[in-house]
Amino acid sequence: MATESTGTGQPATHPVAATFDLLGDRLTLTILRHAFVNRTRRFNQWIERTGAPPAVLTARLAALVDAGVLVRTPQPGSPDRFDYLLTELGLATWEILVSVWGWQRAWTAEGALHPDLVHGACGHRGPPVLMCRGCGRTVTARDTEVDLGDDALWRFTSSGRRRARAAVSAHTDMQFDEVMAAIGDRWSATVTGLALAGVRRFSAFRAAMDMSPTTLTERLSRLCDAEILRRSGTGSGREYRLTPRGRALFAIFAFLLAWSELAHPGAPEPGLRIRHRECGAVLVPALRCRGCDARLERTDVRFEPVSRAVLDRLA
């Protein structure tokens, strides 16, 4: 099976795999959320807000700096202390964060406690919808098809394995546990992505991924336990269909794929594209306000804490 190589016998890093390795992490998403919502930029502020061990936080910040998402700059008047600021590439993660927030808002128990997303122009509060930037139409997983190269999934799952990451104990501020079931490792992300592309049968998952039956069974069971997939049928007729909760992950995957192209402009063609059936073009995702139908840019929206009245009703 032909693939790009690093010259050391190892396959070259796949841009989509590198994106999931970097951003498919609970603490990393928490760091980025605070950078956007709270303008957090200093190490001690992230320690206070995340409760992460200093060594673990240092490693995550270093990975984001290495990836070009954050830049480390000396603090004014304190050259031995540093701020971590979002770069243009870091700012471009905002649609991923909004999509994750929207999924959590709709599909997790604590979602109602998350801040409101507010469109400044019309005042609408709540999750936006996914749209095709090319033709302007609203898009769901059912409106798309996935173009896969012959070895795209093999390169995705086998290229440049990420270094082991220290586990982080649960903290009240880390709100990304449930979405990690779908994006927290390459195998789970691949299974979920294939399900979004319409794969249902065990044999079809295995043929597409060349995964051992034991590993595939474990990932499918994990996704069923997370209510992302629903198992039906028996024996050779057994199918794994996306639940509404699982289908709602589509926007997160679409923006992760789009961001991977920004982050790795010189990488080999990933062999993985989402195509919008209505216009026939490769999907370039964007967000649209549900209130006024305007396309949303980063500076058009803000997060506001949930009102006290809402909190009192939920108490």
Side-chain angles (χ1 to χ4, degrees):
M1 184 180 296
T3 187
E4 299 290 334
S5 174
T6 61
T8 63
Q10 296 295 319
T13 298
H14 191 285
V16 181
T19 294
F20 277 85
D21 287 351
L22 180 70
L23 300 181
D25 175 67
R26 184 164 53 102
L27 177 54
T28 299
L29 291 179
T30 302
I31 289 169
L32 291 173
R33 180 170 62 83
H34 281 302
F36 279 103
V37 177
N38 299 312
R39 304 293 192 267
T40 305
R41 60 178 58 184
R42 296 186 175 177
F43 187 86
N44 63 332
Q45 293 173 325
W46 272 304
I47 286 287
E48 179 182 346
R49 286 170 173 159
T50 68
V56 176
L57 179 60
T58 296
R60 298 300 202 277
L61 290 171
L64 289 167
V65 170
D66 290 345
V69 174
L70 297 176
V71 62
R72 189 169 176 257
T73 62
Q75 293 177 12
S78 301
D80 59 337
R81 297 188 176 187
F82 297 88
D83 287 338
Y84 293 85
L85 307 177
L86 288 164
T87 63
E88 286 301 312
L89 182 61
L91 291 170
T93 63
W94 78 276
E95 289 163 315
I96 300 171
L97 270 292
V98 167
S99 298
V100 171
W101 165 84
W103 184 83
Q104 293 188 144
R105 185 71 181 264
W107 297 102
T108 67
E110 73 276 9
L113 302 177
H114 289 355
D116 280 330
L117 182 76
V118 182
H119 182 203
C122 75
H124 180 267
R125 308 173 76 90
V129 295
L130 183 68
M131 63 176 283
C132 172
R133 192 178 289 264
C135 69
R137 295 185 179 94
T138 300
V139 179
T140 69
R142 288 169 169 157
D143 303 317
T144 64
E145 57 190 22
V146 177
D147 297 335
L148 279 176
D150 290 340
D151 62 352
L153 294 180
W154 181 83
R155 289 192 290 130
F156 174 73
T157 55
S158 65
S159 67
R161 305 305 297 178
R162 68 184 176 191
R163 292 169 291 181
R165 295 184 300 201
V168 183
S169 59
H171 184 276
T172 55
D173 188 57
M174 293 190 190
Q175 303 168 348
F176 299 105
D177 284 353
E178 295 187 56
V179 76
M180 288 299 111
I183 66 173
D185 68 83
R186 291 188 196 177
W187 289 118
S188 296
T190 306
V191 172
T192 305
L194 285 170
L196 286 165
V199 175
R200 294 175 181 172
R201 291 183 178 269
F202 184 95
S203 57
F205 281 109
R206 191 177 175 209
M209 301 172 67
D210 194 24
M211 179 191 280
S212 76
T214 300
T215 303
L216 178 57
T217 298
E218 190 276 332
R219 287 305 192 279
L220 288 168
S221 295
R222 184 188 300 180
L223 290 166
C224 288
D225 291 343
E227 299 180 350
I228 290 168
L229 296 178
R230 181 180 64 253
R231 188 186 296 110
S232 64
T234 59
S236 60
R238 176 168 291 183
E239 292 188 345
Y240 295 84
R241 294 174 177 264
L242 285 163
T243 64
R245 191 178 202 245
R247 284 194 295 274
L249 291 162
F250 176 69
I252 300 173
F253 277 73
F255 282 116
L256 282 166
L257 291 182
W259 189 85
S260 73
E261 296 190 16
L262 293 176
H264 303 276
E269 163 62 44
L272 178 60
R273 291 279 185 269
I274 300 175
R275 191 170 298 280
H276 183 206
R277 288 196 186 98
E278 287 197 50
C279 68
V282 171
L283 177 66
V284 180
L287 295 174
R288 169 187 284 144
C289 175
R290 293 176 188 264
C292 67
D293 287 336
R295 192 177 80 195
L296 300 177
E297 302 296 344
R298 177 178 56 83
T299 54
D300 298 332
V301 298
R302 66 183 184 273
F303 280 98
E304 293 183 356
V306 177
S307 70
R308 173 52 59 184
V310 172
L311 292 175
D312 289 344
R313 288 200 303 272
L314 294 171

